[in-house]
Each structure stands twice: as C-alpha cells, then as structure tokens.
C-alpha cells in the first residue's frame, strides 16, 4: 500500500466517525463539524485551505488524512444536457456516473460497485461480471466530484437535488459501505439532501431490505421487471432465491417502518417479453391498493443483447391499463441516449477506451488523463 492509500479519506467518514477520528487525534469533537463544513459546504479538498483550523492541527491532519476523489477518465455531454463521467477506480477498473438536469431538479446517478454479480439478463453491467465493492469514500467522492464539476458555488443554489443509486452495481450487496454513504448524503452537515431524494435501488435482496428499513430512512426503489415468478426468475435471477411475494412483503414493511409514501418499482419494457396486456393485468393484481408507483423504463439496447425495446404504442397501452386500474405508472423519458448514459448502459467501454463511441449528436467531449 502506498503512503497516499494508507491515509484516511475524510469523504468516507460519517459525522460520528469523523468525531471519533478527531478525538483520536486529541481534538475536540466540534472540529469534525468544522471539517464537514469545509468538505461539504465549501467543497474544499485541500486541508491547507481549511483556515479556521489551527495550523498545528492541519499539519497533523495532513499526515494521516486527505480528501481523495475518483479520477475522471472521460467527460461526455449529451445534446439533452445529460452528462456522463467515466471514473477510474484503480488502474484499469472504471465506473460511470451520470447527471440528469431537469427544470425542477438535478439528479445524480451514482455507482455502488465496479461491475455487478446479480446477472440480470437485460443489463449490460452484468456482462462485465463483478469486480469489487466501492468504499463509502468512493461513493461519497462521486457526489463531491460531481458538485465540483457542475460548478457548485458555496452558498449558491444546489445543482444536485437528488441522488439515485442506479448506476453500476447492486447497492444492497454493498450494504456496509452504501449505508454510511447515504448517511453523509442526508446529514445536514453533509450534502443535506432530503431523505426522499436519496434513493437506493435494488434488484431485490430481501434480507438487506428488511435491515435497511430498520437502519436508515432513505427512499427505496425496487427493480421488479416482471409480474410473475416464472418470468422474473429469468430476468432477475435473485428471484430464484426471493420470490415476488416475499419481495413485496419486504416492500410494504419498508413503507410501514419508514412512514414513507410509497415504493417506486422499476419495470424495463422488453418487446414481446414482459410488455403484453396480460402482464399489465397481473401487475394490477400485485400492486392495486398498495403504496406503489411504477416507473416504466424503455429498454436501452447494448451490443450483443437479445432484447429489443418495446414500441411506444405498447408502452402507452401498458401504462394505460395500469392507470385505469388504479396503479400509478409513468414512463421514464430516455436521456443521454447519444452518449450511452441511459440505464443499463453504464458499462464496459470503460475497460477499452478506444471503443468509446463519439456519436455525431455529441456536443462536447473532454478527455482528461
Ligand atoms: N442493481 C440495482 C441498481 C442498478 S440498475 C437495481 O437492480 O435496481 C438501475 C435500473 O436500471 C434498474 O431498474 C435496472 O433494472 C435498470 N436497467 C438495467 N439495464 C437496463 C437496460 N438495458 N435498459 C433499461 N433499464 C435497465
């Protein structure tokens, strides 16, 4: 391990952890608050710039701690304003992060793992397999970095209003790093994002969902994708272990424990596979009268996939059946198509930079080494 890596990355510490860290250095716990202000309210990464800390403390802090963010390999900006960053993790490994601006909010989609082990058949990350978990500091570091890249000004308007764990990886398979990261995102001394605007998305790890209900209070999204076990077993293999009935039980428990409004269910629209009227009626049976919202995601194709995106007409028909029968369903608008930033496309061109597609619709491309 190099000297740099042996230093504690301050971005990974929750308020309580930062307090014990500074106490361990013989300082008063309020130093942790001062540090958090520099880190999250002013976006400062150089300990030397944290001028209200005593010089002697800063010198000692520099010996044991630092602020380390993921390094940017490539930045792409889509014609619709969506931004995608390729981030180098260690050497050859990479993840992607996407920012989606909308008139009333700015959503940052972050990754929780390099690769993924869940093996969902329609997801491009699955093709890469699982590489490793991200640390809490690497997760928080994405948000910190995006703030800087998006020109966040201390005291100015928020640029990132929502954070979703819908990038690469299964967040609940990396529970011990994801949970502290959500805490830092929601802490008023941290990024201070409201709990309804930090969303963990899961393919359905039931035991971890039950634990999450007890231990945090962020929002939960569940990748459902099929209305019956036969089909879901095929699309989302974790279903072979935790069936739909068990999954939904955990969802309702989550809402109850959290006093949340609802669970968002993601449903990828695959042509001829899960997009027929009978599937919509099966979903009505599962979700009617429940605290559920359904988000229909047009499938985003990637090389070597056997699936196709459902037609706009099929998606509309599907949505109408649900809405007519009392299940709230909306269609997610596809964003960042021209830069492969859409859901499920967060992969792999990472490992071979020469194949990054620079489509004609691209407005600007900045390569950073
Ligand atoms: N592992 C987590 C979070 C990452 S995926 C989960 O499964 O929820 C974020 C969302 O994108 C999930 O709903 C996932 O099913 C969906 N997705 C994956 N591949 C996709 C694709 N090719 N097209 C559209 N959505 C996709």
């Amino acid at each position: 391990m190099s000297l740099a890596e042996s230093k504690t990355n301050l971005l990974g510490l929750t308020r309580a952890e930062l307090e014990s860290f500074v106490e361990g250095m013989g300082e008063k716990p309020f130093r942790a608050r001062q540090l958090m202000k520099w880190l999250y309210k002013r976006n400062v990464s150089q300990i030397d710039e944290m001028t209200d800390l005593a010089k002697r403390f800063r010198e000692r802090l520099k010996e044991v701690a630092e602020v380390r963010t993921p390094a940017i390999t490539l930045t792409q900006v889509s014609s619709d304003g969506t931004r995608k960053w390729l981030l180098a993790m260690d050497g050859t490994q990479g993840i992607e992060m996407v920012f989606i601006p909308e008139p009333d909010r700015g959503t940052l989609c972050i990754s929780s793992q390099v690769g993924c082990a869940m093996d969902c058949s329609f997801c491009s990350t699955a093709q890469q397999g699982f590489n490793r978990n991200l640390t809490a500091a690497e997760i928080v570091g994405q948000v910190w970095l995006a703030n800087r890249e998006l020109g966040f000004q201390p005291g100015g308007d928020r640029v990132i209003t929502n954070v979703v764990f819908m990038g690469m990886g299964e967040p609940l398979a990396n529970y011990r790093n994801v949970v502290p990261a959500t805490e830092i995102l929601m802490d008023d001394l941290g990024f201070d994002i409201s709990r309804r605007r930090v969303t963990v998305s899961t393919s359905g790890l039931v035991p971890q969902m039950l634990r999450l209900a007890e231990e945090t209070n962020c929002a939960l999204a569940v990748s459902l994708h099929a209305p019956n076990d036969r089909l879901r077993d095929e699309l989302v293999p974790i279903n072979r272990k935790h069936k739909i009935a068990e999954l939904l039980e955990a969802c309702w428990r989550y809402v109850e424990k959290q006093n949340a409004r609802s669970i968002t269910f993601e449903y990828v629209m695959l042509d001829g596979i899960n997009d027929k009227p009978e599937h919509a009626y099966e979903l009505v049976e599962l979700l009617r009268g429940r605290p559920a919202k359904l988000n229909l995601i047009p499938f985003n194709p990637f090389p070597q996939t056997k699936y196709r995106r459902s037609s706009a007409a099929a998606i509309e028909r599907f949505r109408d059946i649900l809405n007519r029968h009392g299940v709230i369903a909306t269609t997610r608008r596809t964003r960042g198509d021209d830069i492969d930033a859409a859901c499920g496309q967060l992969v792999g061109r990472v490992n071979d930079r020469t194949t990054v597609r620079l489509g004609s619709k691209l407005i600007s491309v900045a390569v950073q080494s």
Side-chain angles (χ1 to χ4, degrees), residues 38-287:
W38 287 107
L39 293 173
Y40 302 112
K41 305 299 177 201
R42 302 192 183 146
N43 238 47
V44 162
S45 60
Q46 297 303 317
I47 290 171
D48 274 333
E49 289 176 31
M50 303 180 179
T51 44
D52 62 357
L53 303 177
K55 183 122 197 297
R56 212 175 52 88
F57 175 47
R58 272 187 274 154
E59 291 306 321
R60 286 180 43 238
L61 195 58
K62 278 196 299 188
E63 285 166 20
V64 294
E66 64 179 341
V67 180
R68 199 165 58 243
T69 64
I72 298 174
T73 311
L74 181 78
T75 305
Q76 290 177 284
V77 184
S78 160
S79 50
D80 67 11
T82 301
R83 258 164 213 267
K84 180 171 82 167
W85 296 269
L86 249 54
L87 305 178
M89 281 303 153
D90 15 46
T92 59
Q93 306 282 7
I95 56 156
E96 300 188 358
M97 170 171 83
V98 181
F99 178 70
I100 306 155
E102 286 175 280
D104 58 337
R105 63 183 152 184
T107 303
L108 187 72
C109 176
I110 59 172
S111 295
S112 55
Q113 299 181 313
V114 184
C116 187
M118 304 315 291
D119 208 24
C120 300
S121 61
F122 54 87
C123 179
S124 66
T125 304
Q127 296 189 327
Q128 172 179 353
F130 174 69
N131 300 87
R132 70 174 177 87
N133 282 329
L134 296 184
T135 62
E138 287 169 327
I139 297 170
V140 172
Q142 292 173 65
V143 186
W144 195 96
L145 185 66
N147 249 336
R148 197 193 65 188
E149 286 289 297
L150 293 165
F152 165 81
Q153 295 295 331
D157 280 348
R158 269 168 206 275
V159 188
I160 299 166
T161 60
N162 296 52
V163 175
V164 296
F165 284 78
M166 294 183 189
M168 195 180 272
E170 167 50 54
L172 294 189
N174 184 15
Y175 192 95
R176 87 194 147 82
N177 293 308
V178 165
V179 169
T182 60
E183 210 177 296
I184 298 166
L185 293 179
M186 295 185 291
D187 190 331
D188 54 3
L189 294 182
F191 291 98
D192 193 21
I193 301 176
S194 95
R195 70 185 195 95
R196 293 191 205 283
R197 292 170 179 264
V198 174
T199 304
V200 169
S201 177
T202 181
S203 55
L205 272 64
V206 169
Q208 288 88 335
M209 287 167 66
L210 296 173
R211 212 177 134 195
L212 198 72
E214 306 290 333
E215 296 175 358
T216 67
N217 55 6
C218 55
L220 185 66
V222 173
S223 292
L224 188 57
H225 305 315
N228 60 61
D229 285 324
R230 192 192 47 74
L231 190 52
R232 195 164 190 271
D233 280 354
E234 192 187 306
L235 300 177
V236 186
I238 188 73
N239 197 69
R240 295 172 200 161
K241 197 162 170 194
H242 303 292
K243 298 292 178 200
I244 292 177
E246 188 191 345
L247 175 64
L248 293 181
E249 268 318 305
C251 291
W252 315 142
R253 168 90 72 88
Y254 196 85
V255 170
E256 200 181 285
K257 279 270 166 200
Q258 297 284 322
N259 204 9
R261 289 181 199 148
S262 60
I263 300 281
T264 301
F265 291 94
E266 293 149 290
Y267 194 97
V268 63
M269 297 298 290
L270 303 167
D271 182 36
I273 306 284
N274 63 354
D275 65 346
K276 297 178 188 153
E278 67 245 38
H279 297 125
Y281 287 110
E282 280 183 279
L283 279 177
V284 168
E285 289 308 309
L286 292 178
L287 302 179

Side-chain angles (χ1 to χ4, degrees), residues 8-24 29 32 35-36 136-137 140 176-177 179-181 183-184 187:
T8 298
N9 189 349
L10 297 176
L11 293 177
L13 302 182
T14 61
R15 191 195 298 205
E17 287 168 345
L18 200 55
E19 279 171 356
S20 14
F21 185 76
V22 296
E23 279 184 303
L35 271 170
M36 287 186 84
V140 172
R176 87 194 147 82
N177 293 308
V179 169
E183 210 177 296
I184 298 166
D187 190 331

